[in-house]
Amino acid sequence: MVFIDVKGARKEFNIGVSIIALKDVTFSVEQGEFVGIMGPSGSGKSTLLNIVGGLEQLDGGAVTVDDMDIYDTTSATLANYRREYVGFIFQQFHLIPTLTAVENVCLPLMLSGLPGDEQLERAREVLDWVGLKGLEDRLPHQLSGGEQPRVAIARATVNEPLILLADEPTGNLDSTTGEEIMKLLRRLNDKGTTILFVTHDQRLGAEADRIVRIKDGVAHE
Ligand SMILES: Nc1ncnc2c1ncn2[C@@H]1O[C@H](COP(=O)(O)OP(=O)(O)OP(=O)(O)O)[C@@H](O)[C@H]1O
Ligand SMILES: [Mg+2]
């Protein structure tokens, strides 16, 4: 059954000139799938993830998730969708430099209504799960390049989202560390999380159940 349905998605950026980032993107994903998104630099991969995550305005087409048309709904419903459904790992991770690992991971829990000590406990559990036990109180710059994406994964999943959107989570990592990050994503997928991840790396892409290729703002299976 279709869970995420992107139909004819179009996205333009206007910076004096008009840049068509997504021309006409159509694809769908079932719940529990592990989907790789590949394509050349500038082809629209990050834009596509942002669109699925409800982070951008859409200039044409529709995105439906769990039968909810996320760009034809109230801002409250969209905010709810982002909070309840989506975990996001950004291409540059966007960890808050002045907050420790555990504080970064707590951020999505702040709206959850959980008491503070339970938030911290939950954040510590997830950091342990991603392999960062003992490093909870470090600031991002005190963590290695391979440890930082783990914090980003922990933060994106602490709310147990149904969908994880990961934009080059293995970024500039060496292949062994990249492989470990992929194993973490696979373990999340085994627990039922639907995952869309962007990668440049053919080898990592091959670990997905399926690849969606983007070229010049158009998707090809
Ligand atoms: N906020 C923005 N303002 C203007 N143009 C943008 C913006 N974001 C993206 N673009 C442009 O849209 C196109 C698609 O960008 P996008 O970031 O989605 O590509 P990408 O496939 O993720 O590339 P990369 O592999 O380098 O991360 C590019 O031409 C880019 O310059
Ligand atoms: Mg990108």
Side-chain angles (χ1 to χ4, degrees), residues 17 27 34 44 48 53 57 77 89 91 97-98 120 124 133 135 145 153 155 157 160 169 175 179 186 195:
V17 291
F27 73 100
F34 190 51
L48 179 60
Q57 296 296 314
T77 306
I89 301 170
Q91 193 162 6
T98 53
L120 281 168
R124 283 176 190 281
K133 200 173 178 55
L135 305 184
I153 292 175
R155 187 179 60 185
T157 57
E160 305 193 318
S175 58
E179 198 52 56
R186 181 51 88 180
I195 299 183

Side-chain angles (χ1 to χ4, degrees), residues 51 89 100-101 110 121 123 132 169 201 215:
I51 288 285
I89 301 170
T100 63
M110 291 191 159
E121 192 181 332
L132 293 181
D201 187 328
K215 198 169 172 242

Side-chain angles (χ1 to χ4, degrees), residues 9-15 19 21-22 44-63 69-73 75 78-79 81-82 86 88 90 94 165 167:
R10 181 176 178 86
K11 176 70 193 169
E12 294 176 28
F13 292 105
N14 262 303
I15 46 168
I19 294 166
L22 301 178
K45 305 180 298 297
S46 295
T47 306
L48 179 60
L49 275 202
N50 292 341
I51 288 285
V52 172
L55 299 179
E56 295 272 13
Q57 296 296 314
L58 203 55
D59 296 311
V63 177
D69 186 338
I70 64 169
Y71 289 101
D72 186 18
T73 186
S75 59
L78 180 60
Y81 164 72
R82 287 198 292 247
V86 182
F88 217 108
F90 294 95
H94 293 330
L165 303 173
D167 197 352

